[in-house]
Amino acid sequence: MSLDLDDTIVAIASAPGGAARGVVRLSGARSAACVARLFEPTHATTAPSVVTGQLTLPRGLGQIPARLYLWPGRRSYTRQPAAELHTLGSPPILEAVVESLCTAGARLARPGEFTLRAFLAGRLDLTQAEAVLGVIDARGQAQLDTALAQLAGGLAGPLAALRSRLLDLLAHLEAGLDFADEDIEFITPDALAAQLSAAAGEVTRLAERMRSRRDTSELPRVVLVGPPNAGKSSLLNALAGRNAAIVSEIAGTTRDYVTCQLVAEEQEFLLVDTAGQIDVHGESPLEGLALATTARQRREADVTVFCCEAGAFRFTHAPYDDCGSNSAIQVWTKCDVRQPPPDAPGIRTSSRTGAGLGELTRAIAARLHERTADAVVASTAARCGESLELAGVALARARDLVARRGGEELVAAEVRTALDGLGQVAGAVYTDDVLDRVFGKFCIGK
Ligand SMILES: Nc1nc2c(ncn2[C@@H]2O[C@H](COP(=O)(O)OP(=O)(O)OP(=O)(O)O)[C@@H](O)[C@H]2O)c(=O)[nH]1
Ligand SMILES: [Mg+2]
């Protein structure tokens, strides 16, 4: 990743493909000079930062209307002089604009380079830079909300507050060390232990908020499991509104898994039908394979929907040990024929009449919402897990030292280690490979 901030960089900033309007963005000292080589104002404006005019383009494209937005000082996203040209969103036109700007002295921006400059200028911390990516990649409202919260300082705020408290604590400890020969106590052991405990608790909470199971680039998987003939494939077809999976009265119809891309309350997900779980004894090789496939799908499930045929079982609870987990939904099928026991928990459905399908969709959406609420920060979590753990362990060791009346030098050293760990999360301490990992995932122009 180039840290050369003197170059003026340029890229198409609007989405790929044709659109009514396209945006070309520049950042760097020569932004205005580069633009002046191809843009000519046509209207006098009262606001010098927005100018209407036309672009003269090569390759016979001629003159195209455009509007220029200028940030001459440090008030831009990158805190550098910056410019945006808004014109017709036609890919050949936008490419010709970029080409002309490169001829005029700009260079093509690398992926994420605008956000990298914003980060290096202190406009964003690393967790917020990752949130920019989260906003770009958001699938559905829940992910967008979380990414925006992170961008607005959802993680950066508590992180900065925690680091500031630990820096104060370190200052007290170090002052104590400087005046070790005199009888001044800057902080009592009890107050020190209490503050270290509070900080360790805060690190744990931050780590929990960041924990997430998978990258957002994959759709979450909602997996239908249950005994053969329970009506899983019928449920998939009913939810999909088409015959995606084969249905028959013969138990063991589905042998492989079938998937369908669906939307529940604006959240996209993959609904996965699996083979019914047949008694393992006397299994054929095909059944063995079907079982293994189902087991893998269950492991990879973000939400598991346990299907039981109402009346066919004597269970008042679902016959699965992991049914009580947060991401599990219990469903009774074929309720048009028979009802489960009145006090049995679970959603009563019928693929034949459509009963309960709305309730099931809402339950799936709610589970997905809980799951995705943290998924946007998955990349932050992947990058920061180790550093946060390091910070948490150091704080725990510091607390132990205080309890055992260990020397304040040692406590101060542990607090410094914790601060280093937290600094890596915020990007106060960063290395080129961390920057590469974070910004390498961006698309060009952001
Ligand atoms: N009356 C009624 N019958 C249903 C309903 N859902 C499924 N069935 C019937 O139950 C039988 C089994 O349905 P499937 O959807 O193939 O069941 P499955 O769980 O996918 O079965 P396997 O693939 O063998 O594991 C079929 O004859 C369906 O017509 C329902 O809501 N009401
Ligand atoms: Mg089936």
Side-chain angles (χ1 to χ4, degrees):
M1 180 64 64
S2 166
L3 296 186
D4 186 353
L5 303 176
D6 296 332
D7 292 353
T8 293
I9 53 173
V10 61
I12 300 173
S14 42
R21 184 190 271 206
V23 177
V24 173
R25 180 175 292 159
L26 294 104
S27 174
R30 289 183 39 77
S31 294
C34 291
V35 168
R37 297 273 292 273
L38 55 150
F39 178 84
E40 204 182 326
T42 50
H43 293 67
T45 49
T46 42
S49 53
V50 188
V51 190
T52 305
Q54 57 190 18
L55 294 163
T56 304
L57 296 177
R59 290 198 240 118
L61 286 167
Q63 300 202 309
I64 311 280
R67 186 168 281 182
L68 170 66
Y69 293 79
L70 274 175
W71 291 265
R74 284 178 44 84
R75 295 183 66 185
S76 70
Y77 179 56
T78 54
R79 292 213 167 132
Q80 292 187 319
E84 275 184 14
L85 280 166
H86 292 216
T87 184
L88 307 175
S90 137
I93 290 178
L94 296 175
E95 280 155 23
V97 173
V98 170
E99 189 187 309
S100 300
L101 288 167
C102 287
T103 311
R107 108 168 131 72
L108 273 182
R110 298 193 180 87
E113 203 169 358
F114 288 95
T115 307
L116 173 68
R117 288 188 175 192
F119 163 72
L120 292 173
R123 201 179 215 323
L124 305 168
D125 86 347
L126 263 195
T127 64
Q128 288 170 307
E130 282 159 326
V132 171
L133 192 61
V135 172
I136 296 167
D137 286 347
R139 291 170 186 276
Q141 193 62 39
Q143 291 188 359
L144 183 61
D145 289 348
T146 314
L148 288 173
Q150 182 167 329
L151 190 57
L155 286 172
L159 203 59
L162 177 60
R163 291 185 66 229
S164 145
R165 281 206 302 281
L166 284 177
L167 280 168
D168 284 349
L169 196 64
L170 190 61
H172 280 128
L173 283 168
E174 286 179 345
L177 292 174
D178 287 345
F179 294 92
D181 298 338
E182 294 166 42
D183 201 15
I184 311 173
E185 198 172 51
F186 284 87
I187 184 163
T188 64
D190 284 350
L192 184 58
Q195 287 197 34
L196 288 169
S197 290
E202 185 67 24
V203 168
T204 311
R205 274 191 295 282
L206 280 173
E208 271 167 13
R209 275 181 65 182
M210 287 188 188
R211 201 173 300 132
S212 173
R213 281 187 288 175
R214 207 170 309 140
D215 204 272
T216 50
S217 54
E218 274 179 53
L219 282 182
R221 301 173 84 85
V222 176
V223 179
L224 298 167
V225 300
N229 231 27
K232 302 176 294 298
S233 301
S234 304
L235 202 54
L236 175 118
N237 290 343
L239 289 168
R242 64 189 169 90
N243 287 338
I246 301 170
V247 167
S248 89
E249 68 281 4
I250 304 162
T253 299
T254 309
R255 305 321 294 136
D256 201 353
Y257 68 94
V258 177
T259 64
C260 227
Q261 193 169 326
L262 298 178
V263 180
E265 296 183 356
E266 294 185 358
Q267 297 182 76
E268 284 179 85
F269 66 97
L270 217 52
L271 186 62
V272 184
D273 179 26
T274 61
Q277 289 167 308
I278 301 178
D279 193 357
V280 196
H281 301 295
E283 70 188 48
S284 69
L286 182 60
E287 269 153 29
L289 268 178
L291 272 177
T293 309
T294 300
R296 181 160 52 79
Q297 289 301 329
R298 276 183 74 170
R299 271 197 308 279
E300 290 181 357
D302 295 290
V303 177
T304 314
V305 178
F306 293 95
C307 305
C308 283
E309 190 176 330
F313 287 85
R314 278 171 282 108
F315 307 108
T316 50
H317 295 286
Y320 299 103
D321 46 9
D322 47 353
C323 210
S325 86
N326 287 341
S327 57
I329 300 173
Q330 166 67 40
V331 161
W332 299 101
T333 54
K334 309 189 195 179
C335 292
D336 54 298
V337 186
R338 287 165 80 174
Q339 287 288 320
D343 54 345
I347 301 171
R348 277 104 173 115
T349 67
S350 163
S351 303
R352 212 151 269 181
T353 66
L357 297 185
E359 190 185 342
L360 176 57
T361 306
R362 283 191 294 280
I364 290 173
R367 299 301 198 287
L368 290 176
H369 195 285
E370 283 162 18
R371 192 201 81 92
T372 51
D374 281 338
V376 178
V377 293
S379 61
T380 307
R383 178 176 66 79
C384 302
E386 225 169 273
S387 310
L388 272 183
E389 199 175 311
L390 186 89
V393 169
L395 288 171
R397 272 199 308 257
R399 213 175 31 194
D400 274 5
L401 280 167
V402 175
R404 290 189 279 109
R405 299 279 184 259
E408 287 196 347
E409 302 91 333
L410 297 177
V411 178
E414 295 296 357
V415 172
R416 250 180 253 118
T417 308
L419 275 165
D420 274 355
L422 295 176
Q424 273 158 23
V425 177
V429 185
Y430 56 84
T431 55
D432 281 359
D433 71 314
V434 169
L435 295 187
D436 275 349
R437 263 189 289 157
V438 173
F439 293 97
K441 290 186 212 149
F442 277 73
C443 47
I444 293 173
K446 297 291 182 289

